[in-house]
Amino acid sequence: MNRHVAFERLHNFRDLGGYRSADGRTVAWQTLYRADSLGKLQGADWERFLELGVQTVIDLRYPWEIEAKGRVPEAERFHYVNLSIEHQPYDQAEISPDVDPWRYLADRFAEVTEDGAEEIRQVLEQIAGAPGPVVFHCTSGKDRTGLIGVFVLTLLGVDREDVLADFELTELATERLLADWHTANPDRVMKWPGYGRAPAEIMELVLADLESRYGSVHGYLKDRVQLTDATVDRLRSRLLTGGDA
């Protein structure tokens, strides 16, 4: 099954199904999706989205981003939740090309893991308790969305190599994300050459940082995020299936 769901205006909409867990089960297809901004949905894209049967939409953006760019159309059709996991905004286009780009982004992730611990817990609880297909998204489906994807797959027991590879799949959307930025900002100059990039190296640094501070990613989610064993059990029960993908 194709992991990428094709849309005209969305560039980074993916199914998280198909990965094998350490216990031999498989992440269910057509149950959990990650995406860039659903505010871009219209026309044929909107009809395609409705065909997926999504019931819960988790919007990871700041309220001011939603105000500027819009949320999923007809949000009342869904269980719509806005949980902004990032608390310290920054403009990637303005990052100096002289800084170490992957270390810089890993440090921004570190801010999110500390400042946004409460919202991260709520996002994971929403996913675990949702009755039908779920999509979580931010603007580009890269950083905030990527972090939640990493936490979900890790909790499901997916091998780290596969977790990092899933994060890096955003690289397939980088060119289109960059083109969208230039279209939306015709009077600005992109200073940072790493815009829209998501190499596995970034997340390797993030996970190493969490392991240094908390012993493991699971330790972080338990001790800092305060994620309960019951929520993890619900998440695994809901998203893992026996048999092959």
Side-chain angles (χ1 to χ4, degrees), residues 136-181:
F136 58 95
H137 76 93
C138 56
T139 297
S140 298
K142 181 174 77 74
D143 297 330
R144 291 166 286 186
T145 296
L147 187 64
I148 294 297
V150 164
F151 288 155
V152 170
L153 293 178
T154 298
L155 288 167
L156 295 177
V158 174
D159 182 78
R160 179 173 291 199
E161 183 177 344
D162 288 334
V163 172
L164 293 173
D166 184 84
F167 176 79
E168 194 169 53
L169 284 176
T170 286
E171 294 269 284
L172 298 176
T174 296
E175 184 176 349
R176 295 178 73 190
L177 293 170
L178 183 58
D180 277 1
W181 185 92

Side-chain angles (χ1 to χ4, degrees), residues 5 7 11 17 22 24 34 46 71 76 79 88 94 136 143 150 154 157 160-161 179 192 208 224-225:
V5 182
F7 291 93
H11 313 315
R34 49 170 296 172
W46 173 237
R71 59 181 179 171
E76 65 279 1
H79 175 55
Q88 300 185 50
E94 293 295 329
F136 58 95
D143 297 330
V150 164
T154 298
R160 179 173 291 199
E161 183 177 344
W192 188 46
R224 181 69 180 93
V225 175

Side-chain angles (χ1 to χ4, degrees), residues 1-6 11-15 169-170 172-173:
M1 185 177 290
N2 189 356
R3 182 168 307 286
H4 292 266
V5 182
H11 313 315
N12 203 14
F13 195 110
R14 309 203 303 266
D15 191 325
L169 284 176
T170 286
L172 298 176

